Amino acid sequence: MDFPMLSLLILVPVIAAAVVMLLPKERTELHLPVALVLSLLPVGLGGVLFARFESVAGFQFVEQAPLIERWGVSWHLGIDGVALPLILLTTILIPISIAASTSIAKNAQLFLVMVLMLEAGLIGVFSALDLIVFFVFFEAILIPMYFIIGIWGSENRIYAAIKFFLYTAFGSALMLVGIIALSVMQQNKTGVSSFDYTVLLGLEIPPATQAWLFAVFGIAFAIKVPMFPFHTWLPDAHVQAPTAGSVLLAGVMLKLGTYGFLRFNLPLFPDAAVRFAPVVATLAVIGIVYGAAVAIVQTDLKKLVAYSSVSHLGFIMLGIVALTQNGLDGGVIQMVNHGLTTGALFLLVGMLYERRHTKLIADFGGLQKTMPIFAGVFLFSTFASIGLPGLNGFVGEFLVLIGSYATLPGFAVVATAGVVLAAVYLLWAYERVFTGVADKPENQDVPDLNLRETLIFVPIIALTLVLGLYPKVLLNRIEPSTAGIIDRIEATTDYVEPTFVIGEPSE
Amino acid sequence: MSDLIWSAIAPELVLVILSGLILVFGVWKKPPLRSMAVLVGAGLVATWAAWGLQLSRLQDIVDAGSFGALAFNDMVITDGTAVIARLILMVILTLAVALAWPMLDEIGQRSAEALVLMFLATAGFMLLAAAANLVMAFIGLEVGSISLYVLAAVARKSRLADEAAMKYFLLGSFASAVFIYGVALLYAGSGSVSIDALRSFSGRVIVSPGVLYVSMAMLVVGVLFKVTAAPFHAWAPDVYQGSAAGVVGFMAAAAKVGGFVALVRIVGITYIRFAADWRPALAAIAALSIILGTLLALSQTDFRRMLAYSGIAHAGFILVGVAAGRSANEAILFYLAVYTVQLVTAFGIAAIVSGPTSSGSPFSAYKGLASRSPFLAAGLATTMLGMSGMPITSGFIGKLGVFRAAWEKGLEWLVVVALVASVAAFFFYLRVIVDMYMRDPDEETSDVAPEPAVAGRVAIAVAVVVTVLFGLYPSPLLDLIRNVVS
């Protein structure tokens, strides 16, 4: 076994959290800088992962040690091209969220501990190859997020925190049923219980069983995504959460759902995946259009961004259930893109709120003149989110659309409307907030981004450009793994990926 | 009399001798609690040593017994289950004594009585868990139960406590009567009161086959009452709310350990041939307990009542394992171990927050606790998450174990019911966390910062560490249980 990189990556944030917790309580000026510096360590480790990651199918950086031998639970970690980008995204967004949390006044120490514990949990989820270990991390991240929303959120925070927790816990309970069922199936087949993902892949599950297992896993992940009609917790959680909470929620936690579909639903239940693809695609497309339509009519800027997530995540789901190479690639890369752009938008809304203590679009106007840098960053993020060619969003959406057009043409056509609607709600919001004359006196001298805030956006903007101009840097690493998923589906079902392929977008 | 194997009952012996010493010392000399602490501490160490001796001699005891591991004229069975049950009871006794110290301090002269009652109750439930004969089981049950009836009123301060003790006594005696009647009917049906009375049972009955079914029902009901399973639960909320705060966690936990181990033996050994009959019945009782306990816990305004109702649901979760049969025994013991530790801790923290002799602990007392007493809030939050079965706590592993066993045995519907209820249960467990962390304290409590004494602090810290440790890495405890039980 190689050096346990992934365990280290999970452990470092835990240690960082412990260090922050042990800092003297009254030295408040120390807490945030220490947490920020420590949170950069995982970024470095992530860089090592990225550099040493080979563009081949299968899991890398694998490590395995028994945990509960009798039940076949083991500390089995490993990542492939689907998990790698999400781990990198996590490590990058954490220091950004910490740096953006200077306005947390009440018990900032505990807040930083929670953020760091959240990071450990997220990295754990994306690298777990044992279903129980996965489930433990999947559930455990609820705790820090619950505290983040519930303690540091705005007025209605307790309601939002409990709703968020219960919704997700309900889905998880269903998934646990499926996990237990899988292990018992394995035991009946071989006499030895196992929760190991790579072992369970060898199960030949009858189609009827696949159907309900797909459903219980699917609902758990659909709640997390969230897919229509399981999305109602999302606006509450986002609007009430503090900025860092929203950034991490939208940036990373929602991807747990889409990741779960890719990691579990497709490879473990290929037959059901093929059969239910149109159902999931229908919900995805409803989500795209519905999320966009609701975003248009929002009067609250944060809610607008929240609903835009419903729409964007619909795209990702459509790409995944398209069951084509392009669709899956687009889905994965769009997960990263959405994390970056929506993260940026939530950061911007948060900074605006810190200055003006309102999030209502109608309270703003003409901000472009007083805060040009801010407006510029906002416009850039808007363009990235809309999918302007040259920026990252374009690559993802384009791949999703051509990928889904190959197998689900009708859905792809409707989904295209979502692209147009995204332009409507975001640009219209930009127009109302930033252009025109600042007729309200309180908008006339809003301070622009300071150095710290500007620096926060530098990595996001850089990555947006890199992924927009040279997506191959990530796609290279994603493709072998997504191809593996398609191969598996083709090998175990009658499904054949259509050969109709438009080809790569030119670079 | 070759089967007087004293090491088979070593921990009970030490506890009884210790009780005698405390009683004599306490009544004659009326010593300050501080000097009593030395005796109690030494006694607990001796009990642990006795247990360790028993564990190390386990194989010898099994070999020396007249039939397998039986001793004392086939009255006491020494098997892994009994040894683990003793371990659990000793853990909760030790934690409970540490957490009850402020109460013992406050009740002054009667502290010796309270300690003796705790030790005798422990010894009684240990014997119940190790009984190979149902008359022995009854004696153990009664020694344990009667000690608890008195313990309920030991603070003798409020009418609620008197009411609780009276209610507990009346209903508890009724349940004991049902149990002993069941023993009598078993004797009528089979000519034996041994735990394996029906092992060589040929099917020829003395009275009528119905007698055996009635005896089974009565024995099971008698025990289900003690472990607060629905519909035999009605006394629990009043008793756990009203009884002296310092010891109520011990009362709830000890009865559950003894009762469940006895239940596992009764259905798993005595009536194993009737498995097809009791399995659906226990599954139904499990489902009823889970649903009723969870639903009623949702609407409570008092923390201790909430814990009582959640205890009913937990009894249901454990019954899921009992209904699954023998393969779940290890999971049941693990569940009992981790849950009772959490139970003692939660009640212990309630006693610190609301006062060591209080009756009841309204939720309003917990508002803003995180800013007033961060240590207590963190301890209680971990305990609540553990009880809710949240992953990364031992509670999750416990639930996973019993659910997995039940699924294997075809009780899928029960697992689904239990999991849905576990989600609903988050609501009331989280409510405490919401009060502690997310709300500001009420005006009258805003400058009250309850702090545990040193012993209580250590006990809470140990419980928290154990809860998280066995959640992340349960193997040591699971392996211990498995090695000893098999």
Side-chain angles (χ1 to χ4, degrees):
Chain A
M1 195 185 291
D2 295 339
F3 182 73
M5 274 296 286
L6 294 170
S7 290
L8 184 70
L9 199 51
I10 295 171
L11 198 61
V12 167
V14 176
I15 296 172
V19 170
V20 173
M21 195 147 65
L22 293 174
L23 289 174
K25 216 177 175 60
E26 57 284 354
R27 299 286 302 274
T28 44
E29 78 286 359
L30 273 181
H31 299 154
L32 192 123
V34 170
L36 181 60
V37 170
L38 290 175
S39 73
L40 292 175
L41 294 175
V43 180
L45 287 172
V48 176
L49 277 191
F50 181 76
R52 286 179 39 196
F53 190 88
E54 290 163 33
S55 301
V56 291
F59 292 102
Q60 305 178 34
F61 304 101
V62 176
E63 44 184 290
Q64 189 163 20
L67 267 184
I68 310 174
E69 278 183 70
R70 172 116 196 229
W71 300 341
V73 179
S74 61
W75 180 254
H76 191 183
L77 304 181
I79 53 171
D80 63 357
V82 178
L84 174 79
L86 294 170
I87 290 185
L88 298 179
L89 178 69
T90 308
T91 58
I92 290 165
L93 283 181
I94 292 284
I96 289 176
S97 311
I98 291 177
S101 297
T102 45
S103 64
I104 298 281
K106 188 175 74 178
N107 205 348
Q109 197 175 8
L110 186 63
F111 176 83
L112 296 164
V113 169
M114 290 296 167
V115 171
L116 289 166
M117 293 304 281
L118 185 64
E119 174 172 27
L122 288 166
I123 295 170
V125 174
F126 291 129
S127 50
L129 288 182
D130 181 283
L131 266 64
I132 290 295
V133 176
F134 172 82
F135 184 79
V136 167
F137 281 122
F138 189 80
E139 282 274 275
I141 52 170
L142 288 183
I143 303 173
M145 191 41 96
Y146 167 74
F147 278 104
I148 288 174
I149 298 175
I151 301 182
W152 296 280
S154 31
E155 315 78 43
N156 216 357
R157 60 187 192 275
I158 295 175
Y159 168 77
I162 292 182
K163 189 169 176 181
F164 159 77
F165 192 103
L166 286 184
Y167 251 84
T168 353
F170 175 73
S172 307
L174 285 179
M175 181 162 66
L176 187 59
V177 170
I179 292 176
I180 291 176
L182 278 173
S183 87
V184 172
M185 257 179 244
Q186 175 71 20
Q187 174 158 349
N188 292 341
K189 184 186 158 207
T190 61
V192 184
S193 168
S194 179
F195 287 97
D196 194 304
Y197 173 72
T198 51
V199 171
L200 294 175
L201 280 177
L203 274 177
E204 280 161 24
I205 309 170
T209 318
Q210 280 200 25
W212 76 260
L213 284 171
F214 185 92
V216 290
F217 276 81
I219 290 174
F221 295 135
I223 290 173
K224 206 88 179 178
V225 168
M227 289 186 77
F228 181 89
F230 304 109
H231 65 282
T232 59
W233 62 269
L234 179 114
D236 286 306
H238 268 309
V239 172
Q240 301 301 327
T243 302
S246 299
V247 170
L248 293 173
L249 197 58
V252 193
M253 283 184 76
L254 304 188
K255 312 308 183 302
L256 287 178
T258 47
Y259 171 80
F261 267 96
L262 268 176
R263 170 69 71 237
F264 298 104
N265 278 40
L266 264 47
L268 281 174
F269 322 118
D271 183 76
V274 173
R275 271 201 287 159
F276 289 142
V279 179
V280 183
T282 309
L283 294 179
V285 169
I286 293 177
I288 293 173
V289 177
Y290 170 85
V294 178
I296 290 176
V297 299
Q298 291 307 312
T299 53
D300 180 309
L301 206 50
K302 206 168 179 183
K303 262 197 171 147
L304 185 148
V305 182
Y307 275 107
S308 83
S309 286
V310 177
S311 182
H312 279 113
L313 268 293
F315 262 103
I316 300 175
M317 284 309 301
L318 182 65
I320 290 173
V321 294
L323 304 179
T324 57
Q325 178 77 46
N326 282 328
L328 262 55
D329 290 346
V332 177
I333 206 154
Q334 194 63 5
M335 288 187 215
V336 179
N337 294 338
H338 176 260
L340 292 172
T341 52
T342 308
L345 287 172
F346 273 122
L347 286 169
L348 290 162
V349 174
M351 289 168 184
L352 203 52
Y353 181 77
E354 280 169 23
R355 289 166 166 74
R356 289 274 286 99
H357 299 286
T358 173
K359 291 174 292 201
L360 293 182
I361 297 172
D363 288 347
F364 301 110
L367 290 176
Q368 214 168 19
K369 291 191 189 62
T370 51
M371 38 195 328
I373 307 178
F374 186 95
V377 176
F378 196 100
L379 194 60
F380 180 84
S381 305
T382 301
F383 283 148
S385 186
I386 295 170
L388 195 74
L391 299 178
N392 58 0
F394 173 73
V395 182
E397 282 184 354
F398 185 70
L399 282 173
V400 166
L401 287 175
I402 58 171
S404 54
Y405 190 77
T407 50
L408 304 161
F411 295 96
V413 170
V414 182
T416 316
V419 184
V420 182
L421 289 173
V424 174
Y425 60 77
L426 278 170
L427 288 178
W428 192 36
Y430 180 85
E431 184 199 318
R432 283 179 289 168
V433 173
F434 292 97
T435 59
V437 260
D439 44 2
K440 296 194 181 63
E442 56 271 39
N443 286 337
Q444 274 155 9
D445 52 350
V446 186
D448 204 350
L449 292 184
N450 60 30
L451 182 63
R452 173 185 65 86
E453 292 166 331
T454 315
L455 284 177
I456 287 174
F457 289 108
V458 169
I460 298 184
I461 292 173
L463 287 169
T464 304
L465 284 170
V466 169
L467 290 178
L469 296 171
Y470 192 64
K472 227 179 160 56
V473 68
L474 212 50
L475 275 173
N476 263 349
R477 289 166 168 82
I478 296 171
E479 264 166 6
S481 300
T482 48
I485 295 173
I486 301 282
D487 288 346
R488 187 180 155 76
I489 296 174
E490 288 183 334
T492 48
T493 65
D494 305 335
Y495 174 79
V496 182
E497 187 190 357
T499 44
F500 159 70
V501 175
I502 302 174
E504 301 285 322
S506 53
E507 275 120 21
Chain B
M1 295 300 258
S2 64
D3 64 350
L4 290 186
I5 307 162
W6 295 106
S7 50
I9 54 163
E12 291 93 313
L13 277 180
V14 175
L15 282 172
V16 172
I17 294 169
L18 180 65
S19 306
L21 286 177
I22 292 175
L23 212 51
V24 171
F25 187 54
V27 172
W28 278 3
K29 296 281 183 192
K30 300 209 188 315
L33 193 62
R34 190 174 289 275
S35 50
M36 193 94 92
V38 180
L39 182 63
V40 171
L44 283 175
V45 170
T47 320
W48 277 97
W51 180 81
L53 178 86
Q54 189 177 57
L55 180 67
S56 66
R57 288 272 185 84
L58 187 57
Q59 199 55 49
D60 297 346
I61 300 170
V62 171
D63 293 340
S66 59
F67 171 74
L70 296 176
F72 294 96
N73 213 8
D74 297 351
M75 283 289 169
V76 175
I77 184 166
T78 307
D79 58 0
T81 308
V83 173
I84 297 295
R86 288 191 179 99
L87 169 70
I88 301 172
L89 282 164
M90 269 157 28
V91 170
I92 56 180
L93 175 68
T94 312
L95 287 178
V97 169
L99 284 164
W101 213 254
M103 185 198 87
L104 298 174
D105 216 13
E106 201 170 308
I107 59 177
Q109 290 304 320
R110 285 196 309 280
S111 59
E113 287 170 37
L115 281 166
V116 166
L117 289 167
M118 285 170 85
F119 290 140
L120 285 180
T122 309
F125 287 119
M126 281 180 175
L127 281 178
L128 172 62
N133 183 299
L134 287 167
V135 173
M136 186 69 227
F138 181 72
I139 294 172
L141 183 70
E142 283 303 89
V143 170
S145 300
I146 293 173
S147 306
L148 293 190
Y149 305 149
V150 185
L151 206 49
V154 76
R156 227 190 287 164
K157 239 187 160 178
S158 75
R159 277 190 43 226
L160 273 176
D162 290 343
E163 183 197 324
M166 196 50 145
K167 203 173 243 172
Y168 195 18
F169 171 63
L170 286 177
L171 290 168
S173 309
F174 180 68
S176 298
V178 171
F179 184 89
I180 194 72
Y181 202 1
V183 178
L185 288 176
L186 177 66
Y187 186 73
S190 68
S192 167
V193 286
S194 163
I195 199 113
D196 61 349
L198 303 178
R199 195 171 62 92
S200 53
F201 181 61
S202 59
R204 277 193 307 132
V205 281
I206 302 169
V207 190
S208 83
V211 166
L212 289 178
Y213 285 98
V214 177
S215 72
M216 173 170 78
M218 295 188 109
L219 286 171
V220 169
V221 167
V223 176
L224 286 180
F225 178 92
K226 301 288 176 189
V227 299
T228 70
F232 316 105
H233 66 281
W235 56 276
D238 291 339
V239 172
Y240 292 158
Q241 184 190 13
S243 303
V247 289
V248 63
F250 171 77
M251 290 168 52
K256 277 213 166 69
V257 177
F260 268 114
V261 173
L263 182 65
V264 165
R265 285 198 200 285
I266 290 170
V267 298
I269 299 176
T270 315
Y271 295 100
I272 185 68
R273 285 150 177 257
F274 298 4
D277 299 308
W278 55 252
R279 192 187 299 272
L282 282 184
I285 291 172
L288 182 67
S289 302
I290 292 169
I291 294 168
L292 209 66
T294 306
L295 287 180
L296 291 174
L298 287 172
S299 57
Q300 299 307 314
T301 54
D302 185 280
F303 178 58
R304 282 164 60 179
R305 283 187 86 82
M306 185 278 267
L307 279 183
Y309 280 111
S310 99
I312 296 165
H314 276 282
F317 290 133
I318 302 173
L319 279 172
V320 172
V322 180
R326 205 185 198 94
S327 61
N329 280 5
E330 291 159 40
I332 292 170
L333 288 172
F334 184 89
Y335 197 118
L336 275 173
V338 299
Y339 169 63
T340 50
V341 166
Q342 288 155 8
L343 194 58
V344 170
T345 314
F347 274 120
I349 292 175
I352 297 165
V353 171
S354 298
T357 53
S358 59
S359 287
S361 191
F363 276 127
S364 56
Y366 295 82
K367 282 189 186 167
L369 191 68
S371 52
R372 293 183 281 140
S373 316
F375 175 78
L376 276 186
L380 192 53
T382 315
T383 311
M384 289 296 105
L385 291 173
M387 283 194 179
S388 69
M390 190 74 192
I392 81 158
T393 68
S394 53
F396 169 67
I397 306 290
K399 283 202 169 78
L400 181 66
V402 292
F403 293 170
R404 213 188 151 282
W407 189 279
E408 245 182 277
K409 287 284 173 286
L411 292 168
E412 287 97 345
W413 66 272
L414 189 55
V415 175
V416 174
V417 168
L419 277 170
V420 171
S422 315
V423 177
F426 275 124
F427 200 83
F428 54 82
Y429 292 120
L430 290 183
R431 172 182 179 164
V432 188
I433 299 181
V434 166
D435 277 341
M436 291 191 301
Y437 281 88
M438 300 169 195
R439 291 192 204 279
D440 294 326
D442 287 345
E443 259 179 36
E444 63 264 35
T445 56
S446 59
D447 47 356
V448 182
E451 280 303 331
V454 180
R457 188 173 276 269
V458 172
I460 293 169
V462 168
V464 165
V465 169
V466 165
T467 298
V468 176
L469 192 70
F470 287 151
L472 294 173
Y473 190 56
S475 276
L477 183 55
L478 279 170
D479 287 348
L480 173 73
I481 293 174
R482 179 159 97 226
N483 292 337
V484 172
V485 169
S486 51

